[in-house]
Amino acid sequence: MSNIVIIGGGYAGFYAAFKLERQLRKNEASVTLIDPLPYMTYQPFLPEVAAGSIEARHVVVPHRRHLKRTRVITARVTGIDHANKQVTVTPEFGDPFTVDYDHVVVTAGAVTRTFPIPGVADVAIGMKTVEEAVAVRDRLIDNMNIAAHMPPGPERDRLLTVVVVGGGFAGIETFAELRGLVSDLLRRFPELTISDTHFHLIEAMDRIMPEVSLKTSHWVIKNLEKREAHIHLNTQLVSAVDGRIELSTGESLETNLVVWTAGVKAQSMLGGSGVPLEERGRVRAQADLRVIDDNGVVEGMWTSGDVAAVPDLSGGGVGGYCVPNAQHAVRQGKHLAKNLTAVLRGEEPKDYFHKNLGAVAGLGVGVGVLQVGNFALTGFLGFLAHRGYHGLAMPMWERKVRVVSDWLLQLFWGRDVASIRAVQKPREFFEEFAARPSPAAEATAKKRASKAKVSAN
């Protein structure tokens, strides 16, 4: 029986394992999935998590619940020895160990790409994980609760200023959803008005959302400006030290919340592992999703998703490669499973081909855009298209129902605006009131422990 090891449990890895379970015959191969997280995250919904429209746990798909026949290891892969067909696994607790394989599937995904801008690493929050989305929501709601009882001035302005860096889909959706959240919350804060809140998006290019037409992107900008959310084009972030935002235009402002969405890059854990990488750090692949090096196909090694440089045979990719997005990652994961199964049975793998059908974006409750070729829907119809597409694209029916239930609950009772930021420091409350031994008793206990240790030795 062949051993298949999948490194990474995001879109590509999860779907590869999910489809392998259904395509492999009994005892034809074993599948092991290794990821430091016990779930995959449906990232297109993170802006709605940040805005309180969807419950955070509903946008993640637990590996062990939905992969019935796959061995799941919650740990990091810290080495790949392809010559000996082994991966080194390092768990959070305990010693590293190795797992043997016949085929290894590298789907480690991507991480947030940043630049060495002063202050960014210290103050910014990404929008790549569900934990980040929850932290953004809780901080924004807490800021409003604090600012509501402060007199007008710089400190209150700082709490009520939101800065998003990056004008791609993730940035625009996050920016618009947070604007919608705050506008909705103002009904509950009579002390504040919309003019007291300040939203700024920083984009280095001369346009936003390159996946849609220029006309549609202009509509999005106008819509956000009407909602008092301002977009700075052809503008670079120069510094964010201590929350003081310095822009290349000479403008400056103070903020308590910086959300960074300016691109992604392939997982850096592959560097030095022997996996062939191209100049941008992605795994070199051919169109059938097998890994290649200078000598041709690397037998027994596969890749897909954001970590892979897969040729885009449709001709629509940037630089000739598939762009790192969910559309490609999901389809590549499924296609990889078919190709790997075919190879196990002595058949030839087929090239991956997918032509981008269009793009949808949510811009807050009741507002969205859909772009298919030259055809576009904006406003409420775009909003329905966005929710319809992603409601169907969400993996597993159990998860789809949970997400749709959140939307229906919001329709009747509004979005969930409860902040539980204290959960990020769960022992703080307990420690504050916990009874502690007197200094003398503590010293006696330490002496007894020391004597017991000496006796044991």
Coordinates of all heavy atoms in Angstrom, one line a residue, residues 221-307:
I221 N -15.0 52.7 -5.4 CA -14.4 53.9 -4.8 C -15.4 54.9 -4.4 O -15.5 55.5 -3.3 CB -13.3 54.5 -5.6 CG1 -12.1 53.6 -5.7 CG2 -12.8 55.9 -5.1 CD1 -11.0 54.0 -6.7
K222 N -16.3 55.2 -5.4 CA -17.4 56.2 -5.2 C -18.3 55.8 -4.1 O -18.8 56.6 -3.3 CB -18.1 56.5 -6.5 CG -17.3 57.2 -7.6 CD -18.2 57.4 -8.8 CE -17.3 58.1 -9.9 NZ -18.1 58.2 -11.2
N223 N -18.7 54.5 -4.1 CA -19.6 54.0 -3.1 C -18.9 54.1 -1.7 O -19.6 54.5 -0.7 CB -19.9 52.5 -3.3 CG -20.8 51.9 -2.3 OD1 -20.3 51.3 -1.3 ND2 -22.1 51.9 -2.5
L224 N -17.7 53.8 -1.5 CA -17.0 53.9 -0.2 C -16.8 55.4 0.2 O -17.0 55.7 1.4 CB -15.6 53.2 -0.3 CG -15.7 51.7 -0.3 CD1 -14.4 51.1 -0.6 CD2 -16.2 51.2 1.0
E225 N -16.6 56.3 -0.8 CA -16.5 57.7 -0.4 C -17.8 58.2 0.1 O -17.8 59.0 1.0 CB -16.0 58.5 -1.7 CG -14.6 58.2 -2.1 CD -13.6 58.9 -1.1 OE1 -14.0 59.7 -0.2 OE2 -12.4 58.5 -1.2
K226 N -18.9 57.8 -0.5 CA -20.2 58.2 0.0 C -20.4 57.7 1.5 O -21.2 58.4 2.2 CB -21.3 57.6 -0.9 CG -21.4 58.2 -2.2 CD -22.5 57.5 -3.1 CE -22.6 58.1 -4.5 NZ -23.7 57.4 -5.3
R227 N -19.8 56.6 1.8 CA -19.9 56.1 3.2 C -18.8 56.6 4.1 O -18.6 56.1 5.2 CB -19.9 54.6 3.1 CG -21.1 54.0 2.4 CD -20.8 52.6 1.8 NE -20.5 51.6 2.8 CZ -20.2 50.3 2.5 NH1 -20.1 50.0 1.2 NH2 -19.9 49.5 3.4
E228 N -18.1 57.7 3.6 CA -17.1 58.4 4.4 C -15.9 57.4 4.7 O -15.4 57.4 5.8 CB -17.6 59.0 5.7 CG -18.6 60.1 5.3 CD -18.9 61.1 6.5 OE1 -17.9 61.2 7.3 OE2 -20.0 61.7 6.5
A229 N -15.6 56.6 3.7 CA -14.4 55.8 3.8 C -13.5 56.2 2.7 O -13.9 56.1 1.5 CB -14.8 54.3 3.7
H230 N -12.3 56.6 3.0 CA -11.4 57.3 2.0 C -10.3 56.4 1.5 O -9.6 55.7 2.3 CB -10.8 58.6 2.6 CG -11.9 59.4 3.2 ND1 -12.8 60.1 2.5 CD2 -12.1 59.8 4.5 CE1 -13.6 60.7 3.3 NE2 -13.2 60.6 4.5
I231 N -10.1 56.4 0.2 CA -9.0 55.6 -0.4 C -7.9 56.5 -1.0 O -8.2 57.4 -1.7 CB -9.6 54.7 -1.6 CG1 -10.6 53.7 -1.0 CG2 -8.5 54.0 -2.3 CD1 -11.4 52.9 -2.0
H232 N -6.7 56.2 -0.6 CA -5.5 56.9 -1.0 C -4.8 56.1 -2.1 O -4.1 55.1 -1.8 CB -4.6 57.2 0.1 CG -5.3 57.9 1.3 ND1 -5.1 59.3 1.5 CD2 -6.1 57.5 2.3 CE1 -5.8 59.6 2.6 NE2 -6.4 58.5 3.1
L233 N -4.9 56.5 -3.4 CA -4.2 55.8 -4.4 C -2.9 56.4 -4.7 O -2.6 57.5 -4.3 CB -5.1 55.8 -5.7 CG -6.4 55.2 -5.7 CD1 -7.2 55.4 -7.0 CD2 -6.3 53.7 -5.4
N234 N -2.0 55.6 -5.3 CA -0.6 56.1 -5.6 C 0.1 56.6 -4.3 O 0.8 57.6 -4.3 CB -0.6 57.2 -6.6 CG -1.0 56.7 -8.0 OD1 -0.5 55.7 -8.5 ND2 -2.0 57.4 -8.6
T235 N -0.2 55.9 -3.2 CA 0.3 56.3 -1.9 C 0.9 55.1 -1.2 O 0.4 54.0 -1.2 CB -0.9 56.8 -1.1 OG1 -1.5 57.9 -1.7 CG2 -0.4 57.4 0.3
Q236 N 2.1 55.4 -0.6 CA 2.8 54.3 0.1 C 2.8 54.6 1.6 O 2.9 55.8 2.0 CB 4.2 54.1 -0.5 CG 4.2 53.7 -1.9 CD 5.7 53.5 -2.4 OE1 6.6 53.9 -1.7 NE2 5.8 53.0 -3.6
L237 N 2.8 53.6 2.4 CA 3.0 53.7 3.8 C 4.5 53.8 4.1 O 5.3 52.9 3.7 CB 2.4 52.5 4.5 CG 2.6 52.5 6.1 CD1 1.8 53.6 6.7 CD2 2.1 51.1 6.6
V238 N 4.9 54.9 4.7 CA 6.3 55.2 5.0 C 6.7 54.7 6.4 O 7.7 54.1 6.6 CB 6.6 56.7 4.8 CG1 8.0 57.0 5.2 CG2 6.3 57.1 3.4
S239 N 5.8 54.9 7.4 CA 6.0 54.5 8.7 C 4.7 54.3 9.5 O 3.7 54.9 9.2 CB 6.9 55.6 9.4 OG 7.1 55.3 10.8
A240 N 4.8 53.4 10.5 CA 3.6 53.1 11.3 C 4.1 53.0 12.8 O 3.4 52.3 13.6 CB 2.9 51.9 10.9
V241 N 5.1 53.6 13.1 CA 5.7 53.5 14.5 C 4.7 54.0 15.5 O 4.2 55.1 15.4 CB 7.0 54.3 14.6 CG1 7.6 54.2 16.0 CG2 8.1 53.7 13.6
D242 N 4.4 53.2 16.5 CA 3.5 53.5 17.6 C 2.1 54.0 17.1 O 1.4 54.7 17.8 CB 4.1 54.6 18.5 CG 5.3 54.1 19.2 OD1 5.4 52.9 19.5 OD2 6.2 55.0 19.4
G243 N 1.7 53.5 15.9 CA 0.4 53.8 15.4 C 0.3 55.2 14.7 O -0.7 55.6 14.3
R244 N 1.5 55.9 14.6 CA 1.5 57.1 13.8 C 1.8 56.8 12.3 O 2.9 56.4 12.0 CB 2.6 58.1 14.4 CG 2.6 59.4 13.6 CD 3.6 60.4 14.2 NE 3.7 61.6 13.4 CZ 2.8 62.6 13.4 NH1 1.8 62.6 14.2 NH2 3.0 63.7 12.7
I245 N 0.8 57.0 11.5 CA 0.9 56.7 10.1 C 1.5 57.8 9.3 O 0.9 58.9 9.3 CB -0.5 56.3 9.5 CG1 -1.1 55.2 10.4 CG2 -0.4 55.9 8.1 CD1 -0.3 53.9 10.4
E246 N 2.6 57.5 8.6 CA 3.2 58.5 7.8 C 3.1 58.0 6.3 O 3.5 56.9 6.0 CB 4.7 58.7 8.1 CG 5.0 59.1 9.6 CD 4.7 60.6 9.8 OE1 4.4 61.3 8.8 OE2 4.7 61.0 11.0
L247 N 2.6 58.9 5.4 CA 2.3 58.5 4.0 C 3.3 59.2 3.1 O 3.9 60.2 3.5 CB 0.9 58.8 3.6 CG -0.2 58.2 4.5 CD1 -1.6 58.6 4.0 CD2 -0.1 56.7 4.5
S248 N 3.5 58.6 1.9 CA 4.4 59.2 1.0 C 4.0 60.5 0.4 O 4.8 61.3 -0.1 CB 4.6 58.2 -0.2 OG 3.4 57.9 -0.8
T249 N 2.7 60.8 0.6 CA 2.2 62.1 0.2 C 2.4 63.2 1.2 O 2.1 64.4 0.9 CB 0.6 62.0 0.0 OG1 0.0 61.6 1.2 CG2 0.3 61.0 -1.1
G250 N 3.0 62.9 2.3 CA 3.3 63.9 3.4 C 2.2 63.9 4.4 O 2.4 64.5 5.5
E251 N 1.1 63.2 4.2 CA 0.0 63.2 5.2 C 0.4 62.3 6.4 O 1.2 61.3 6.2 CB -1.3 62.6 4.6 CG -1.8 63.4 3.4 CD -3.0 62.7 2.7 OE1 -4.1 62.9 3.2 OE2 -2.7 62.0 1.7
S252 N -0.2 62.5 7.5 CA 0.0 61.7 8.7 C -1.2 61.6 9.5 O -2.1 62.6 9.5 CB 1.2 62.2 9.5 OG 0.9 63.5 10.1
L253 N -1.4 60.6 10.3 CA -2.6 60.4 11.1 C -2.2 59.4 12.2 O -1.3 58.6 12.1 CB -3.8 60.0 10.3 CG -3.6 58.8 9.4 CD1 -4.2 57.5 10.0 CD2 -4.4 59.1 8.1
E254 N -3.0 59.4 13.3 CA -2.8 58.5 14.4 C -3.9 57.5 14.4 O -5.1 57.8 14.1 CB -2.8 59.3 15.7 CG -1.7 60.3 15.9 CD -0.5 59.7 16.5 OE1 -0.5 58.5 16.9 OE2 0.6 60.4 16.5
T255 N -3.6 56.2 14.7 CA -4.6 55.2 14.7 C -4.2 54.1 15.7 O -3.1 53.9 16.1 CB -4.7 54.5 13.3 OG1 -5.7 53.5 13.4 CG2 -3.4 53.8 12.9
N256 N -5.3 53.4 16.2 CA -5.1 52.3 17.1 C -5.3 50.9 16.4 O -5.1 49.9 17.0 CB -6.2 52.4 18.2 CG -6.1 51.3 19.2 OD1 -6.9 50.4 19.2 ND2 -5.0 51.3 20.1
L257 N -5.6 51.0 15.1 CA -5.9 49.8 14.3 C -5.4 49.9 12.9 O -5.9 50.6 12.1 CB -7.4 49.5 14.3 CG -7.9 48.2 13.6 CD1 -7.2 47.0 14.2 CD2 -9.4 48.1 13.7
V258 N -4.3 49.1 12.6 CA -3.8 49.0 11.2 C -4.0 47.6 10.8 O -3.5 46.6 11.4 CB -2.3 49.4 11.2 CG1 -1.7 49.2 9.8 CG2 -2.0 50.8 11.8
V259 N -4.7 47.4 9.7 CA -4.9 46.1 9.1 C -4.1 45.9 7.8 O -4.2 46.7 6.9 CB -6.4 45.8 8.8 CG1 -6.6 44.4 8.3 CG2 -7.2 46.0 10.1
W260 N -3.2 45.0 7.7 CA -2.3 44.8 6.6 C -2.8 43.7 5.7 O -2.9 42.5 6.1 CB -0.9 44.4 7.1 CG 0.1 44.3 6.0 CD1 0.4 43.2 5.2 CD2 1.0 45.3 5.5 NE1 1.3 43.4 4.3 CE2 1.8 44.8 4.4 CE3 1.2 46.6 5.8 CZ2 2.7 45.5 3.7 CZ3 2.2 47.3 5.1 CH2 2.9 46.8 4.1
T261 N -3.1 44.1 4.4 CA -3.6 43.1 3.4 C -2.9 43.2 2.1 O -3.4 42.9 1.1 CB -5.1 43.3 3.2 OG1 -5.3 44.6 2.6 CG2 -5.9 43.2 4.5
A262 N -1.6 43.7 2.1 CA -0.9 44.0 0.9 C -0.2 42.8 0.4 O 1.1 42.8 0.2 CB 0.1 45.1 1.2
G263 N -0.9 41.7 0.0 CA -0.3 40.6 -0.7 C 0.1 39.4 0.2 O 0.1 39.5 1.4
V264 N 0.4 38.3 -0.5 CA 0.8 37.1 0.2 C 2.1 36.6 -0.5 O 2.5 37.0 -1.6 CB -0.2 36.0 0.1 CG1 -1.5 36.4 0.8 CG2 -0.6 35.6 -1.4
K265 N 2.8 35.7 0.2 CA 4.0 35.0 -0.4 C 3.9 33.5 0.1 O 3.3 33.2 1.0 CB 5.2 35.7 0.1 CG 5.5 35.6 1.6 CD 6.8 36.2 2.1 CE 7.0 36.1 3.6 NZ 8.3 36.7 4.0
A266 N 4.7 32.7 -0.7 CA 4.7 31.3 -0.4 C 5.3 31.0 1.0 O 6.2 31.8 1.4 CB 5.5 30.5 -1.5
Q267 N 4.9 29.9 1.6 CA 5.4 29.5 2.9 C 7.0 29.4 2.8 O 7.5 28.7 1.9 CB 4.9 28.2 3.3 CG 3.6 28.3 4.1 CD 3.8 28.5 5.6 OE1 4.9 29.0 6.0 NE2 2.8 28.2 6.4
S268 N 7.7 30.0 3.7 CA 9.1 30.0 3.7 C 9.7 28.8 4.3 O 10.9 28.6 4.2 CB 9.7 31.3 4.4 OG 9.2 31.3 5.8
M269 N 8.9 27.9 4.9 CA 9.4 26.7 5.6 C 10.1 25.8 4.6 O 10.8 24.9 4.9 CB 8.3 26.0 6.3 CG 7.1 25.6 5.5 SD 7.2 24.2 4.4 CE 7.5 22.8 5.5
L270 N 9.9 25.9 3.3 CA 10.4 25.0 2.3 C 11.8 25.3 1.9 O 12.5 24.5 1.3 CB 9.5 25.1 1.0 CG 8.1 24.6 1.2 CD1 7.3 24.9 -0.1 CD2 8.0 23.2 1.5
G271 N 12.3 26.5 2.2 CA 13.7 26.9 1.9 C 14.7 26.0 2.6 O 14.6 25.7 3.8
G272 N 15.6 25.4 1.8 CA 16.6 24.5 2.3 C 16.1 23.1 2.5 O 16.8 22.2 3.0
S273 N 14.9 22.8 2.1 CA 14.3 21.4 2.3 C 14.6 20.5 1.1 O 14.2 19.3 1.2 CB 12.8 21.5 2.5 OG 12.2 22.0 1.3
G274 N 15.2 21.0 0.1 CA 15.4 20.2 -1.1 C 14.3 20.3 -2.1 O 14.4 19.7 -3.2
V275 N 13.2 20.9 -1.8 CA 12.1 21.1 -2.7 C 12.5 22.2 -3.7 O 12.9 23.3 -3.4 CB 10.8 21.5 -2.0 CG1 9.7 21.7 -3.0 CG2 10.4 20.4 -1.0
P276 N 12.4 21.9 -5.1 CA 12.8 22.9 -6.1 C 11.9 24.1 -6.0 O 10.7 24.0 -6.1 CB 12.7 22.1 -7.4 CG 12.6 20.7 -7.0 CD 12.0 20.6 -5.7
L277 N 12.5 25.3 -5.9 CA 11.8 26.5 -5.8 C 12.2 27.4 -6.9 O 13.3 27.4 -7.4 CB 12.1 27.2 -4.5 CG 11.8 26.4 -3.2 CD1 12.2 27.3 -2.0 CD2 10.4 25.9 -3.1
E278 N 11.2 28.3 -7.4 CA 11.6 29.3 -8.4 C 11.9 30.6 -7.6 O 12.0 30.6 -6.4 CB 10.4 29.5 -9.4 CG 9.0 29.6 -8.7 CD 8.6 31.0 -8.4 OE1 8.1 31.7 -9.4 OE2 8.7 31.4 -7.3
E279 N 12.2 31.7 -8.4 CA 12.8 32.9 -7.8 C 11.9 33.5 -6.8 O 12.4 34.3 -5.9 CB 13.1 33.9 -8.9 CG 11.9 34.4 -9.8 CD 11.6 33.5 -10.9 OE1 12.2 32.4 -11.0 OE2 10.8 33.9 -11.8
R280 N 10.6 33.3 -6.8 CA 9.7 33.9 -5.8 C 9.5 33.0 -4.6 O 8.6 33.3 -3.8 CB 8.4 34.3 -6.5 CG 8.5 35.4 -7.5 CD 7.2 35.8 -8.1 NE 6.2 36.2 -7.1 CZ 4.9 36.5 -7.4 NH1 4.5 36.3 -8.6 NH2 4.1 36.9 -6.5
G281 N 10.2 31.9 -4.5 CA 10.0 31.0 -3.4 C 8.9 30.0 -3.5 O 8.6 29.3 -2.6
R282 N 8.3 29.9 -4.7 CA 7.2 29.0 -4.9 C 7.8 27.6 -5.4 O 8.8 27.6 -6.1 CB 6.2 29.5 -5.9 CG 5.5 30.8 -5.4 CD 4.5 31.3 -6.4 NE 5.2 31.7 -7.7 CZ 4.7 32.2 -8.7 NH1 3.3 32.4 -8.8 NH2 5.4 32.5 -9.8
V283 N 7.1 26.6 -5.2 CA 7.5 25.2 -5.7 C 7.3 25.2 -7.2 O 6.3 25.5 -7.7 CB 6.7 24.1 -5.0 CG1 7.2 22.8 -5.4 CG2 6.8 24.2 -3.5
R284 N 8.4 24.7 -7.9 CA 8.3 24.6 -9.3 C 7.5 23.4 -9.7 O 7.6 22.3 -9.2 CB 9.8 24.4 -9.9 CG 10.7 25.6 -9.7 CD 12.1 25.3 -10.1 NE 12.1 24.9 -11.5 CZ 13.2 24.5 -12.1 NH1 14.4 24.3 -11.4 NH2 13.2 24.2 -13.4
A285 N 6.5 23.7 -10.6 CA 5.6 22.6 -11.0 C 5.3 22.7 -12.5 O 5.5 23.7 -13.1 CB 4.3 22.8 -10.2
Q286 N 4.9 21.6 -13.0 CA 4.4 21.6 -14.4 C 2.8 21.5 -14.3 O 2.3 21.4 -13.3 CB 5.0 20.5 -15.3 CG 4.8 19.1 -14.8 CD 5.5 18.1 -15.6 OE1 6.5 18.4 -16.2 NE2 5.0 16.9 -15.7
A287 N 2.2 21.6 -15.5 CA 0.7 21.7 -15.5 C 0.0 20.6 -14.9 O -1.2 20.7 -14.5 CB 0.3 22.0 -16.9
D288 N 0.6 19.4 -14.8 CA -0.1 18.2 -14.2 C 0.1 18.2 -12.7 O -0.3 17.2 -12.1 CB 0.3 16.9 -14.9 CG 1.8 16.6 -14.7 OD1 2.5 17.4 -14.0 OD2 2.3 15.7 -15.4
L289 N 0.7 19.2 -12.1 CA 0.9 19.4 -10.7 C 2.0 18.5 -10.1 O 2.1 18.4 -8.9 CB -0.4 19.2 -10.0 CG -1.6 20.1 -10.4 CD1 -2.8 19.8 -9.7 CD2 -1.2 21.5 -10.3
R290 N 2.8 17.9 -11.0 CA 4.0 17.2 -10.5 C 5.2 18.3 -10.3 O 5.3 19.2 -11.1 CB 4.4 16.1 -11.4 CG 3.5 14.9 -11.3 CD 4.0 13.8 -12.2 NE 3.9 14.0 -13.6 CZ 4.2 13.1 -14.5 NH1 4.7 12.0 -14.2 NH2 4.2 13.5 -15.8
V291 N 6.0 18.1 -9.3 CA 7.1 19.0 -9.1 C 8.2 18.7 -10.1 O 8.5 17.5 -10.4 CB 7.6 18.9 -7.6 CG1 8.9 19.7 -7.4 CG2 6.5 19.3 -6.6
I292 N 8.9 19.7 -10.5 CA 10.0 19.6 -11.5 C 11.2 20.3 -11.0 O 11.2 21.3 -10.2 CB 9.6 20.1 -12.9 CG1 9.2 21.6 -12.8 CG2 8.5 19.3 -13.5 CD1 9.0 22.3 -14.2
D293 N 12.4 19.8 -11.5 CA 13.6 20.5 -11.2 C 14.3 20.6 -12.6 O 13.7 20.4 -13.6 CB 14.5 19.8 -10.2 CG 14.9 18.4 -10.6 OD1 14.7 18.0 -11.8 OD2 15.3 17.6 -9.7
D294 N 15.6 21.0 -12.6 CA 16.3 21.2 -13.8 C 16.4 19.9 -14.7 O 16.7 19.9 -15.9 CB 17.7 21.7 -13.6 CG 17.7 23.1 -13.0 OD1 16.7 23.8 -13.2 OD2 18.7 23.5 -12.3
N295 N 16.2 18.7 -14.0 CA 16.4 17.5 -14.7 C 15.0 16.9 -15.2 O 14.9 15.8 -15.7 CB 17.1 16.4 -13.8 CG 18.5 16.9 -13.5 OD1 19.2 17.4 -14.4 ND2 18.9 16.8 -12.2
G296 N 13.9 17.6 -14.9 CA 12.6 17.1 -15.2 C 11.7 16.8 -14.0 O 11.9 17.5 -13.0
V297 N 10.8 15.9 -14.2 CA 9.9 15.6 -13.1 C 10.6 14.9 -11.9 O 11.4 14.0 -12.1 CB 8.8 14.6 -13.6 CG1 7.9 14.1 -12.5 CG2 8.0 15.3 -14.7
V298 N 10.3 15.4 -10.7 CA 10.7 14.8 -9.5 C 9.7 13.7 -9.1 O 8.6 14.1 -8.6 CB 10.9 15.9 -8.4 CG1 11.4 15.2 -7.1 CG2 11.8 17.0 -8.8
E299 N 10.1 12.5 -9.3 CA 9.1 11.4 -9.1 C 8.7 11.4 -7.6 O 9.5 11.4 -6.7 CB 9.7 10.1 -9.5 CG 10.0 9.9 -10.9 CD 8.8 9.9 -11.8 OE1 7.7 9.6 -11.3 OE2 8.9 10.3 -13.0
G300 N 7.4 11.2 -7.4 CA 6.8 11.1 -6.1 C 6.6 12.4 -5.4 O 6.3 12.4 -4.2
M301 N 6.7 13.6 -6.0 CA 6.5 14.8 -5.4 C 5.5 15.7 -6.2 O 5.7 15.8 -7.4 CB 7.8 15.6 -5.2 CG 7.7 16.9 -4.5 SD 9.3 17.8 -4.2 CE 10.1 16.7 -3.0
W302 N 4.5 16.2 -5.5 CA 3.4 16.9 -6.1 C 3.2 18.2 -5.4 O 3.7 18.4 -4.2 CB 2.1 16.1 -6.0 CG 2.2 14.8 -6.6 CD1 2.8 13.6 -6.1 CD2 1.6 14.3 -7.9 NE1 2.6 12.6 -6.9 CE2 1.9 13.0 -8.0 CE3 0.8 15.0 -8.8 CZ2 1.5 12.2 -9.1 CZ3 0.4 14.3 -9.9 CH2 0.7 12.9 -10.1
T303 N 2.5 19.2 -6.0 CA 2.3 20.5 -5.4 C 1.0 21.1 -6.0 O 0.7 20.8 -7.1 CB 3.5 21.4 -5.4 OG1 3.3 22.6 -4.6 CG2 3.7 21.9 -6.9
S304 N 0.4 22.0 -5.2 CA -0.7 22.8 -5.7 C -1.0 23.9 -4.7 O -0.5 24.0 -3.6 CB -1.9 21.9 -5.9 OG -2.4 21.4 -4.7
G305 N -1.9 24.8 -5.1 CA -2.3 25.9 -4.3 C -1.3 27.1 -4.3 O -0.5 27.3 -5.2
D306 N -1.4 27.9 -3.3 CA -0.7 29.2 -3.2 C 0.8 29.0 -3.2 O 1.6 29.9 -3.5 CB -1.1 30.0 -2.0 CG -2.6 30.6 -2.1 OD1 -3.2 30.3 -3.2 OD2 -3.1 31.2 -1.2
V307 N 1.3 27.9 -2.7 CA 2.7 27.6 -2.6 C 3.3 27.2 -3.9 O 4.6 27.2 -4.0 CB 3.0 26.5 -1.5 CG1 2.7 25.2 -2.1 CG2 4.4 26.7 -0.9

